[in-house]
Amino acid sequence: MTGTTTTLDRFDGHIAGLGTAAGLRVVVGRWGRSPLGAFTDVMAERPDGHRLLLAPGPAVAEFVAATYTFDEVRVVPVAATVDGPRWTVRAGPLAATFRTGGRPPLGLLLAAVPTPLATSIPWVSAIDVVARRVLPGVRTRGSATGDRDEFYCARDMHRIVAASVAWDGVDQGALTPVDPPVRFGFGSTPAGPSVVRVTTLIRR
């Protein structure tokens, strides 16, 4: 019998999720450490349900598109700068700035969990049931495309308290919850606009 080799990819960084009054929902991944190096990518779902990946290069586009589901993939310059609580994101048609505030109660709980426990697969698997009940649409583990299993190890959370978002130069209106949930994978970001410090594990 021929054995199979399992690879566990680890991405350490932050995920920002927010909605707009115009119906655009945006998820920004800013990864400081990953098998692909440091990078930022953007997933966006337009009001009509069209799902786009904005990736900074072919390698990122290939990996992310093999893990999540999109209607369109674009390779464009993507940059995110963070200056204290202020984020500035530029990615193809997207121009966004937003500001983070304090931790919600969940953020305080996440920050209190020791990193070795918070990033362990048994722990993440165990709290998935709780996450689904407390945060509708949110999952901490699930099956991605391409026979991949994914685990979201949330380690901290801060609210997004203000945002300015434009798409193709058109202002998208006031900051709103991520509602309806985005449909890139098995789970969405929290409905409340937030930045989550996260370690994502992908087993393939």
Side-chain angles (χ1 to χ4, degrees):
M1 179 180 294
T2 302
T4 58
T5 301
T6 299
T7 299
L8 187 66
D9 296 308
R10 177 172 175 144
F11 294 74
D12 290 303
H14 295 78
I15 295 176
L18 59 89
T20 70
L24 179 72
R25 284 146 290 147
V26 176
V27 178
V28 179
R30 186 173 184 263
W31 306 103
R33 186 173 63 177
S34 83
L36 303 172
F39 70 93
T40 298
D41 66 327
V42 173
M43 303 178 191
E45 186 166 351
R46 297 194 311 227
D48 62 1
H50 190 78
R51 297 162 297 180
L52 298 93
L53 169 64
L54 305 175
V60 172
E62 180 179 2
F63 187 95
V64 177
T67 308
Y68 301 92
T69 302
F70 302 96
D71 302 300
E72 182 181 352
V73 176
R74 300 185 196 176
V75 175
V76 297
V78 181
T81 58
V82 179
D83 182 9
R86 180 182 175 87
W87 284 55
T88 302
V89 181
R90 298 291 183 270
L94 176 71
T97 59
F98 53 87
R99 181 167 53 86
T100 59
R103 292 183 177 97
L106 178 59
L108 295 172
L109 290 173
L110 292 173
V113 179
T115 297
L117 178 61
T119 56
S120 69
I121 288 177
W123 168 260
V124 175
S125 300
I127 65 172
D128 181 60
V129 175
V130 177
R132 282 186 283 177
R133 292 181 178 177
V134 175
L135 299 169
V138 174
R139 299 284 307 276
T140 62
R141 69 159 298 169
S143 298
T145 60
D147 295 324
R148 302 180 179 195
D149 295 316
E150 192 167 11
F151 306 87
Y152 288 117
C153 312
R155 300 164 60 191
D156 200 353
M157 173 189 282
H158 286 261
R159 296 185 181 93
I160 294 176
V161 296
S164 175
V165 180
W167 187 268
D168 282 333
V170 178
D171 182 78
Q172 297 298 297
L175 176 69
T176 69
V178 182
D179 183 31
V182 290
R183 301 171 301 114
F184 308 118
F186 59 83
S188 178
T189 62
S194 59
V195 173
V196 179
R197 183 184 180 192
V198 65
T199 294
T200 299
L201 305 174
I202 299 176
R203 186 168 59 194
R204 56 190 175 94

